[in-house]
Amino acid sequence: MVEKFELTNAIGISVGINNFKLMSYTPTGLGVKFNNNYNNYQTYFKLTKQSLSQGQFNAKILFGSVVSETFDSFQKFSEFLAYQPYTMTYTSDSGTWNREAMLSEMTKSEIGSSSYDPNLLDESFTLEFINNWYNNKSAEYKSYDPDPNLGTYGKIYRPKYDQYVNRNLLLDSLTQTKSGTWPWGNGGWTEEWGTYLGSKIYRTPLRWDNARYSYKDLLDRGVINTTDDFTYSVYFRVVGEDPAGMSYASIKFISEATTKDWNVPVRLTSLKEGEWTRIVVTFKFKDIKYDPARDYKNSIRVEVPEATRAPGARYEFAAPKLERGNTATDWTPAPEDKLAIPFEYAYAPYYVYQESNRPSNEKVMSLNNKSQYFGLQSGSPSVITVKGPCSVNPTWTVVQKGNVVATDGFALKLTDNQQLVVSSHPEDQYARLYNPDGSYVDVSQLQDYTKTNFVQIPEGESTVLFYLDADSDVNITFKEERLLV
């Protein structure tokens, strides 16, 4: 892949320097250089101080492709350079990164002095970088529909997610597919009825119509064996008619020609209509009668025996899970579904948690900063935007591994059309209150000086707790930075 450099000046005009008009070559200065001081003892050297040298980008630029264009190309580039600073966008096989710079040198000679092409202007171009390579990462708080059952769970603690422990072996358990597409068979369930535990709810019109999951998918992916215990679970409820006449539901393992049932008692007479029950069964796959000739028909499903079915009842299913072992653990989607943390509002790193009756003015964001600073910097600059209304003094706290690492807050209120914007960028640090017309006032004097102020986002995983109104919105943009890309 050909490396590509693009510059954007302070008024937003962009110019590429890898084309026939501006052909850069022999670029240097894309790496990193440290200034190291040592104490010498015998044959050993102990580092006493390390600092970063300011980076310089240098390249030769050939202007134009023919002699009649060379001076015009140079003139247009010089007009572009008049507006500093510049943002360099560098694209290579490792990705795309940005960096701000100021002009250090732009030479100007005459035609005939170039050894590369004597008919064109061939000049030296030097920039001085003023920050690190970076990409902007954003996080935005999203509201949710509270789970009415959270009150029974109390505080929810979540350690670091491990996709190999108690993992869900069913793909698409969050969404399933009512159309019967692979790996879910067509059980005939008809509609989505909201969500439960983050998984879609499906309602079935008949006693045996429900989500069927194919054995073949499990066999093809090699996630099951015949010797270990496995546990299948699914949440189930009855709606629409008093289920007093029902005594149990069952999980069935089906190969069409032969069926092995595990009847799991679900004392529906003790349930209120619409109350969720988790049906669980532990088994070994060696006990399943698998018919290879009908591999697309072999499946796991839940059904209500006809003898115990209420004639007008409807059945709903959600959050199916198949896992290794003999214990049903909390439902999570499969790691292949890339939804390892289904409850953004309920789970937080280390000991941080949300109460079941969470304060309406508390909002939580989980961040993962993959910056690399070689030990020279502890966090990345950020821009935090709080959107009104906010009738309380907005404050926020950054927590990492159980420790408070940064805090900020302001003694002010926001109307429903105002925004508080706080930047911790070293080259552009500010706290502003913006009005709908784009005007703003500086509010740094209203900052709570008992806090660390102008927070930076630490490397690695962290949690940010905001204390705002229930109707307030907030988002964070922070720099994922590298000294070397």
Side-chain angles (χ1 to χ4, degrees):
M1 176 180 177
V2 177
E3 294 173 347
K4 179 181 178 182
F5 301 97
E6 184 177 76
L7 295 175
T8 302
N9 66 13
I11 60 174
I13 299 173
S14 297
V15 172
I17 55 174
N18 277 106
N19 53 66
F20 291 113
K21 297 289 186 180
L22 299 172
M23 179 60 69
S24 63
Y25 64 97
T26 62
T28 61
L30 297 173
V32 65
K33 181 180 178 181
F34 297 105
N35 298 315
N36 299 325
N37 295 329
Y38 299 90
N39 279 340
N40 171 227
Y41 174 73
Q42 296 181 354
T43 59
Y44 300 91
F45 295 86
K46 182 178 180 180
L47 182 68
T48 58
K49 183 179 180 181
Q50 185 178 58
S51 61
L52 182 68
S53 293
Q54 185 174 11
Q56 280 195 337
F57 171 82
N58 180 264
K60 299 287 288 184
I61 299 182
L62 203 63
F63 288 89
S65 57
V66 295
V67 66
S68 61
E69 298 176 348
T70 189
F71 284 102
D72 183 59
S73 296
F74 183 90
Q75 176 61 31
K76 289 180 179 178
F77 190 56
S78 68
E79 293 173 356
F80 166 85
L81 293 176
Y83 303 97
Q84 302 186 76
Y86 321 112
T87 298
M88 173 180 280
T89 301
Y90 172 47
T91 302
S92 71
D93 289 335
S94 66
T96 299
W97 295 87
N98 303 298
R99 199 172 189 180
E100 270 74 60
M102 302 293 289
L103 182 64
S104 174
E105 182 182 35
M106 177 76 252
T107 66
K108 172 68 182 295
S109 58
E110 279 293 332
I111 290 177
S113 60
S114 171
S115 59
Y116 189 87
D117 188 335
N119 297 312
L120 302 177
L121 290 176
D122 189 3
E123 306 301 335
S124 179
F125 175 58
T126 303
L127 295 176
E128 292 175 336
F129 292 120
I130 59 176
N131 57 9
N132 309 314
W133 296 107
Y134 70 90
N135 279 312
N136 287 322
K137 302 295 181 180
S138 296
E140 185 170 356
Y141 173 78
K142 296 182 178 179
S143 61
Y144 64 94
D145 295 326
D147 179 355
N149 292 286
L150 278 178
T152 65
Y153 305 149
K155 301 173 183 178
I156 301 178
Y157 296 80
R158 183 188 186 277
K160 183 174 176 62
Y161 178 78
D162 187 343
Q163 67 179 30
Y164 300 105
V165 176
N166 298 326
R167 61 170 291 180
N168 194 344
L169 302 177
L170 305 180
L171 299 182
D172 298 327
S173 66
L174 177 78
T175 58
Q176 307 167 36
T177 49
K178 63 183 178 183
S179 61
T181 57
W182 184 263
W184 291 94
N186 188 355
W189 63 97
T190 57
E191 294 183 65
E192 300 172 17
W193 294 81
T195 61
Y196 180 69
L197 299 179
S199 172
K200 287 185 179 179
I201 299 170
Y202 285 93
R203 180 176 293 186
T204 66
L206 302 173
R207 62 182 176 82
W208 51 267
D209 285 341
N210 55 73
R212 305 180 184 181
Y213 196 91
S214 172
Y215 306 151
K216 187 175 188 301
D217 173 71
L218 302 171
L219 292 169
D220 289 347
R221 291 191 287 124
V223 296
I224 60 173
N225 58 47
T226 59
T227 57
D228 291 344
D229 285 335
F230 289 85
T231 296
Y232 181 85
S233 59
V234 65
Y235 285 88
F236 165 87
R237 71 177 176 180
V238 182
V239 295
E241 183 174 304
D242 183 1
M246 302 177 62
S247 59
Y248 67 88
S250 66
I251 293 177
K252 288 199 171 184
F253 299 82
I254 303 168
S255 63
E256 292 295 308
T258 57
T259 301
K260 184 174 179 62
D261 296 359
W262 280 268
N263 291 330
V264 183
V266 180
R267 298 301 176 188
L268 300 174
T269 53
S270 65
L271 299 179
K272 296 178 182 179
E273 181 182 344
E275 186 173 88
W276 286 102
T277 297
R278 197 179 196 187
I279 306 174
V280 180
V281 65
T282 297
F283 63 96
K284 286 182 170 61
F285 272 96
K286 68 181 179 63
D287 297 325
I288 306 301
K289 298 185 183 301
Y290 178 73
D291 184 356
R294 298 173 174 264
D295 55 12
Y296 282 90
K297 297 291 186 180
N298 293 274
S299 60
I300 306 172
R301 80 180 186 203
V302 182
E303 71 175 52
V304 177
E306 188 170 7
T308 62
R309 173 178 170 251
R314 295 293 179 265
Y315 312 104
E316 292 183 348
F317 303 87
K321 185 175 187 181
L322 176 67
E323 58 191 303
R324 186 175 277 103
N326 56 15
T327 303
T329 61
D330 291 343
W331 176 83
T332 55
E336 293 90 341
D337 294 339
K338 301 181 189 282
L339 292 163
I341 304 177
F343 300 97
E344 291 182 59
Y345 61 88
Y347 294 123
Y350 206 58
Y351 76 85
V352 178
Y353 60 85
Q354 289 295 292
E355 299 279 1
S356 57
N357 295 320
R358 61 196 297 272
S360 62
N361 65 339
E362 186 175 84
K363 302 176 187 293
V364 181
M365 287 187 191
S366 295
L367 305 179
N368 188 8
N369 183 3
K370 298 180 180 179
S371 296
Q372 298 172 357
Y373 291 117
F374 290 74
L376 298 180
Q377 187 171 315
S378 59
S380 302
S382 66
V383 175
I384 294 175
T385 302
V386 178
K387 301 176 183 179
C390 187
S391 61
V392 298
N393 294 338
T395 62
W396 48 92
T397 301
V398 182
V399 180
Q400 186 177 55
K401 296 181 180 179
N403 299 310
V404 174
V405 296
T407 56
D408 206 347
F410 290 81
L412 56 80
K413 311 293 174 59
L414 301 174
T415 64
D416 59 2
N417 57 8
Q418 289 182 312
Q419 296 185 22
L420 171 65
V421 182
V422 184
S423 168
S424 64
H425 290 209
E427 74 281 10
D428 192 21
Q429 190 177 85
Y430 60 81
R432 297 170 180 168
L433 183 64
Y434 279 86
N435 297 308
D437 61 0
S439 63
Y440 65 86
V441 293
D442 182 275
V443 292
S444 55
Q445 74 277 11
L446 301 178
Q447 210 160 19
D448 183 350
Y449 295 115
T450 66
K451 302 182 182 299
T452 63
N453 302 142
F454 296 111
V455 302
Q456 295 195 332
I457 307 303
E459 292 179 75
E461 295 181 354
S462 62
T463 300
V464 188
L465 307 175
F466 289 90
Y467 300 92
L468 312 165
D469 273 2
D471 295 330
S472 304
D473 286 329
V474 63
N475 62 65
I476 299 175
T477 299
F478 66 91
K479 287 187 175 181
E480 182 181 298
E481 297 186 302
R482 299 283 196 277
L483 302 186
L484 194 62
V485 296

